[in-house]
Amino acid sequence: MPAFDDSDFGCQTPLSPVKSRDSYHLQRVSSRSNNLPVGSHGSTISIPVDGPGHAIEVPATRSSISDAQQYMHSLSLSPSMRDRRGSRNSFGTSLPIPRSKRQSRLSSVHYPEGKNGRPGMPPIQPSRDILAAQLQDLSGEKVRAAKDMAFVFDIDGVLVHGDRLIPEGKRVLEILNGDNELGIKIPHIFLTNGSGKPEHARVDQLSKILRNPISTDQFIQSHTPMRALSEYYKTVLVVGGEGYKCREVAEHYGFEDIVVPNDILAWDPTIAPYRVFTDAERATSRPRDFSKTNIDAIMVFSDSRDYATDMQIIMDLLRSENGRLGTVAKDPESQRIPIYFSQGDMLCPTEHPIPRMSQGTFRIGLEAMYKSLTGSDLERVVYGKPELATYKYADEVITSWMEQIHNDEKLPANVYMIGDNPASDIVGGNMYGWNTCLVRTGVFQGGENDEENPASFGVFKNVLDAVQTAIKKELGQDFHFKFDETINPVLHGNGVSAIE
């Protein structure tokens, strides 16, 4: 799979993370003095430079500055208009993503009874694979077209509602995994703003719900690209998710020193005066003296399960001296630590009939609080759809998956994004040049198309309708969505296969 070059993303100067083995402090330089990107607010943004790494920084598609002002009454704002200075260690308008290839590898060939070969003989293939290969040999044009298209699926509201299956989702994956007239696997990956669990756990859960095999190599959660940040920061506060699952995610990503809100509460319960902190929570936390610990960055991996506590701790850190709890900075802007959000959706579909608030509402609340208390916008970095970095990473995953299932390391020309949220799935896919399909099984419940972010390929009643329409466009209106194992392609249908 091809590695990213800086020129691919419009970077004038290579940007690389640095970890000092002794202090782990980040080396930073002025972006203004080194002709590096400057945030849209016009202030000088400092970024890590001069070191080896496995990440690339991709320009963000939105401002790094707060979105809160449009939601706030003018009287709630601080009257202070003092000159602003950029955060000492914010990436501003760039988002690091992993640069290296994914490590895991799967075989697209399934062998009977666990046997993968015979001495001196080629591998044993199931009869269905042999039949499919014969069919594909006779349908070269359709096969080339099938390998030159790919599907990118949002999950919640498209394939599932929470833990409940959308029935058409199961059938779609059967078709794409080979239950079609050619018996061919059509490339597809999963790109979700969902979060809060390790990728392997989420994939196992989805495989059971959808009753189809899914690989982690096909799967991108909102925080998956954030694994690149482990090269930049040592001690991080990770927020969101159930229990300690997000700590597990951060550990899997390679972060060295991970703090969660419960660790801080176990050290000083008075930080969140209205929170009832139980003995069980205290027993599973990892307290330390946080008055002697500098937290380098805040990472909101998933939706908060306790808005009041999480917001209080985050605000304390954003207004502290270089991320040390118990301090209040004289100038919170110049000493502010960076904050990252894994996605920006305001709403998400769940088992509840009306979409629920998501990470975007939590972020807007923090931004409004910060502006009210400091008079300044909060610099922040947002991953997930519709950010450019997520789509660049998706290209890498699609290309890698193509190599695994077709031994052809290339990016298909015709990519179809299927989603239910016009503000993330559709706008992001449109900006990236994908064909976008909007389904009516999730957030979108509108008319013929969304007025502000219309789907380029159309609106469909469900995911099966969208996939079948796209495949017929690329492979022909007469394409059949069922594999007939009784047909012997050598005899062109006259008789049954002798291979059992």
Side-chain angles (χ1 to χ4, degrees):
M1 191 184 70
F4 292 127
D5 293 325
D6 296 323
S7 59
D8 294 336
F9 310 108
C11 297
Q12 297 175 344
T13 303
L15 308 176
S16 301
V18 172
K19 267 187 182 176
S20 167
R21 182 169 297 177
D22 297 325
S23 66
Y24 285 87
H25 291 303
L26 299 176
Q27 298 180 18
R28 296 179 173 85
V29 295
S30 167
S31 60
R32 190 183 301 277
S33 62
N34 288 274
N35 298 317
L36 294 174
V38 175
S40 58
H41 55 288
S43 63
T44 302
I45 304 292
S46 297
I47 51 180
V49 296
D50 300 334
H54 300 285
I56 184 70
E57 292 180 16
V58 179
T61 54
R62 295 179 292 181
S63 170
S64 64
I65 303 303
S66 167
D67 292 331
Q69 185 168 356
Q70 60 183 311
Y71 301 104
M72 298 174 64
H73 191 284
S74 59
L75 294 179
S76 70
L77 300 180
S78 166
S80 173
M81 298 300 292
R82 58 192 171 87
D83 293 337
R84 296 185 61 250
R85 287 186 289 166
S87 167
R88 69 184 183 93
N89 53 0
S90 168
F91 284 103
T93 55
S94 63
L95 291 78
I97 62 173
R99 188 169 196 158
S100 60
K101 298 173 72 171
R102 287 187 157 193
Q103 297 301 312
S104 57
R105 278 290 180 262
L106 298 178
S107 172
S108 60
V109 178
H110 301 279
Y111 301 103
E113 300 178 0
K115 298 179 181 179
N116 61 1
R118 296 167 290 173
M121 298 292 289
I124 302 171
Q125 289 182 299
S127 59
R128 176 171 174 145
D129 284 359
I130 296 174
L131 289 173
Q134 293 172 334
L135 283 167
Q136 292 165 26
D137 286 343
L138 297 173
S139 305
E141 186 174 341
K142 281 187 178 180
V143 170
R144 284 190 292 272
K147 291 181 178 180
D148 207 26
M149 69 181 303
F151 289 95
V152 180
F153 294 103
D154 179 43
I155 296 175
D156 292 307
V158 175
L159 300 172
V160 300
H161 284 138
D163 293 333
R164 180 167 53 87
L165 171 70
I166 296 175
E168 293 80 10
K170 174 179 179 291
R171 180 62 191 136
V172 160
L173 296 190
E174 290 171 348
I175 292 170
L176 299 182
N177 283 327
D179 191 11
N180 54 67
E181 71 171 62
L182 297 176
I184 194 170
K185 293 184 178 181
I186 298 176
H188 58 285
I189 68 167
F190 305 88
L191 179 61
T192 175
N193 274 356
S195 57
K197 294 182 179 180
E199 280 76 10
H200 64 84
R202 181 72 163 135
V203 162
D204 289 346
Q205 178 189 30
L206 274 174
S207 297
K208 292 176 182 177
I209 295 172
L210 293 166
R211 285 168 263 171
N212 274 273
I214 298 172
S215 166
T216 54
D217 289 351
Q218 294 173 277
F219 189 72
I220 306 172
Q221 295 188 94
S222 62
H223 49 59
T224 304
M226 293 175 71
R227 70 176 66 221
L229 295 172
S230 64
E231 298 184 26
Y232 295 85
Y233 303 108
K234 178 190 175 185
T235 303
V236 296
L237 174 71
V238 173
V239 177
E242 299 176 10
Y244 296 101
K245 290 180 181 177
C246 283
R247 193 203 299 270
E248 182 183 348
V249 172
E251 289 172 344
H252 178 68
Y253 288 173
F255 287 95
E256 182 174 338
D257 186 15
I258 303 153
V259 178
V260 298
N262 274 5
D263 300 338
I264 295 171
L265 286 176
W267 166 66
D268 183 2
T270 66
I271 283 180
Y274 308 115
R275 166 73 180 273
V276 177
F277 196 55
T278 67
D279 291 339
E281 290 174 319
R282 187 182 307 277
T284 56
S285 63
R286 302 176 186 175
R288 72 181 83 166
D289 188 351
F290 286 101
S291 68
K292 299 178 180 178
T293 301
N294 281 53
I295 292 175
D296 299 321
I298 303 165
M299 298 183 188
V300 183
F301 269 17
S302 188
D303 293 348
S304 169
R305 267 52 174 183
D306 184 352
Y307 270 44
T309 298
D310 291 346
M311 284 184 167
Q312 181 66 71
I313 290 173
I314 290 172
M315 288 302 300
D316 283 349
L317 285 171
L318 291 174
R319 299 173 65 208
S320 70
E321 290 185 353
N322 303 322
R324 182 161 294 196
L325 288 167
T327 67
V328 178
K330 294 180 180 179
D331 184 354
E333 291 184 70
S334 64
Q335 296 180 298
R336 181 177 57 218
I337 63 174
I339 181 168
Y340 296 85
F341 296 86
S342 70
Q343 52 101 343
D345 285 352
M346 300 291 285
L347 298 172
C348 68
T350 67
E351 294 180 350
H352 191 78
I354 301 173
R356 302 288 84 191
M357 291 188 297
S358 189
Q359 201 178 127
T361 58
F362 180 79
R363 173 177 55 83
I364 291 293
L366 277 174
E367 291 173 356
M369 291 178 194
Y370 187 85
K371 187 154 191 174
S372 295
L373 291 171
T374 68
S376 299
D377 284 309
L378 174 65
E379 285 183 25
R380 77 288 188 279
V381 178
V382 183
Y383 280 80
K385 296 173 291 186
E387 290 295 338
L388 176 63
T390 296
Y391 295 86
K392 292 289 187 184
Y393 190 58
D395 276 353
E396 179 185 3
V397 173
I398 294 171
T399 304
S400 180
W401 190 244
M402 275 288 294
E403 181 185 15
Q404 292 189 37
I405 65 173
H406 293 310
N407 196 30
D408 190 3
E409 191 174 6
K410 74 167 190 175
L411 184 66
N414 304 301
V415 179
Y416 290 83
M417 172 77 217
I418 302 180
D420 69 300
N421 191 335
S424 58
D425 303 324
I426 302 306
V427 68
N430 285 344
M431 288 191 301
Y432 203 55
W434 287 349
N435 303 295
T436 52
C437 308
L438 188 57
V439 296
R440 301 180 187 275
T441 50
V443 170
F444 179 75
Q445 301 288 333
E448 294 184 2
N449 208 331
D450 186 71
E451 294 182 1
E452 295 185 4
N453 300 297
S456 63
F457 192 64
V459 178
F460 302 88
K461 60 183 179 181
N462 56 51
V463 64
L464 180 59
D465 188 23
V467 166
Q468 289 181 332
T469 303
I471 290 177
K472 286 183 176 182
K473 176 181 180 295
E474 301 297 336
L475 305 185
Q477 293 297 317
D478 61 343
F479 191 81
H480 297 294
F481 300 100
K482 192 71 178 175
F483 184 76
D484 188 353
E485 297 190 43
T486 67
I487 297 296
N488 186 334
V490 176
L491 301 177
H492 299 281
N494 296 321
V496 298
S497 173
I499 304 171
E500 296 296 341

